[in-house]
Amino acid sequence: MEHAAFHPQLSPQEIQEVGRLTINFGYAELLLDWLLKDAFQIGDAEASRVLITPLSTRHKMQLLSKRLPRCRNEEVKAILAAALKRLDEINEVRNEIIHGYWAFAHGAGGTSSFFRKNPAKSPITPSDVSRLADQLAVVTRDLYHAHNILLGQPLPLHKPHFLGVRREGHEVWFDALVPPPEPQQAPSGQPEND
């Protein structure tokens, strides 16, 4: 393995967490693409790839947010509004981590943090990267769940669901093991709705 000019000063576990953050963000962008493709009723995969995929994440979120009032399903509207809000909060920090300088500032007590261009902002620690990766995982599940509700397809439970994407003559498959949603507890004394 070749080494860069600078050592990132990250442990293998911390590097893994940056990778998890990157992968989860990629899945969130893929799901935004799917939702926008459906929202704008683009039936052709190539047209979607040309029209939607190149847009910035922020632009995709703005377009989807503008379409939310047209959504007739209140559950989907609530899920998407919350997921887009969380994704917007994560996006700026994620961009700093992915596109910023990979240097570390060592603070009091030997703690490490990612160098930030704006020193007025609080440092980004390796534990922040893990927290953001976890938040992105939740966002992807919410976006996926909303997409499945809109399509009228059940969320896959307890089994792998393979997602196929055809790109440049190759088929790419994602193994998306989606956990079941948490069961809703009925107030005591009332029967549960099935």
Side-chain angles (χ1 to χ4, degrees):
M1 177 189 314
E2 293 294 325
H3 297 281
F6 302 101
H7 187 281
Q9 301 178 22
L10 293 166
S11 72
Q13 177 64 31
E14 290 165 344
I15 290 171
Q16 180 178 330
E17 288 301 285
V18 172
R20 195 167 66 92
L21 173 76
T22 303
I23 289 168
N24 287 350
F25 199 85
Y27 288 147
E29 283 209 279
L30 173 69
L31 290 159
L32 288 175
D33 290 357
W34 288 359
L35 287 159
L36 284 169
K37 179 179 180 273
D38 293 339
F40 288 105
Q41 299 176 345
I42 300 172
D44 182 65
E46 182 64 19
S48 174
R49 190 176 70 79
V50 170
L51 296 171
I52 295 171
T53 302
L55 299 175
S56 71
T57 304
R58 183 158 314 282
H59 194 177
K60 290 175 187 181
M61 290 186 297
Q62 288 169 347
L63 286 172
L64 200 52
S65 292
K66 287 179 183 176
R67 301 290 292 193
L68 274 183
R70 297 178 186 188
C71 181
R72 294 184 187 141
N73 186 314
E74 292 301 320
E75 179 186 10
V76 169
K77 196 183 294 188
I79 291 169
L80 287 177
L84 290 171
K85 182 177 186 288
R86 281 196 308 266
L87 189 56
D88 188 50
E89 293 165 355
I90 295 167
N91 190 38
E92 181 183 344
V93 179
R94 175 264 178 198
N95 284 343
E96 278 195 78
I97 293 168
I98 300 302
H99 302 294
Y101 300 113
W102 282 91
F104 270 79
H106 295 284
T111 60
S112 297
S113 62
F114 289 99
F115 175 79
R116 294 188 87 165
K117 293 176 187 176
N118 181 349
K121 292 184 176 180
S122 60
I124 302 169
T125 65
S127 63
D128 292 331
V129 174
S130 295
R131 181 181 48 79
L132 290 170
D134 287 342
Q135 289 176 357
L136 277 169
V138 172
V139 166
T140 62
R141 289 194 308 262
D142 289 347
L143 292 173
Y144 188 60
H145 184 57
H147 185 261
N148 285 333
I149 292 171
L150 287 172
L151 291 180
Q153 297 174 354
L155 186 66
L157 304 177
H158 306 296
K159 63 178 184 162
H161 180 68
F162 297 98
L163 310 173
V165 177
R166 188 161 188 75
R167 185 170 192 163
E168 297 173 10
H170 301 283
E171 287 188 10
V172 180
W173 292 88
F174 301 96
D175 177 5
L177 181 60
V178 181
E182 293 295 320
Q184 300 256 334
Q185 294 290 328
S188 58
Q190 296 181 2
E192 289 189 31
N193 292 338
D194 287 340

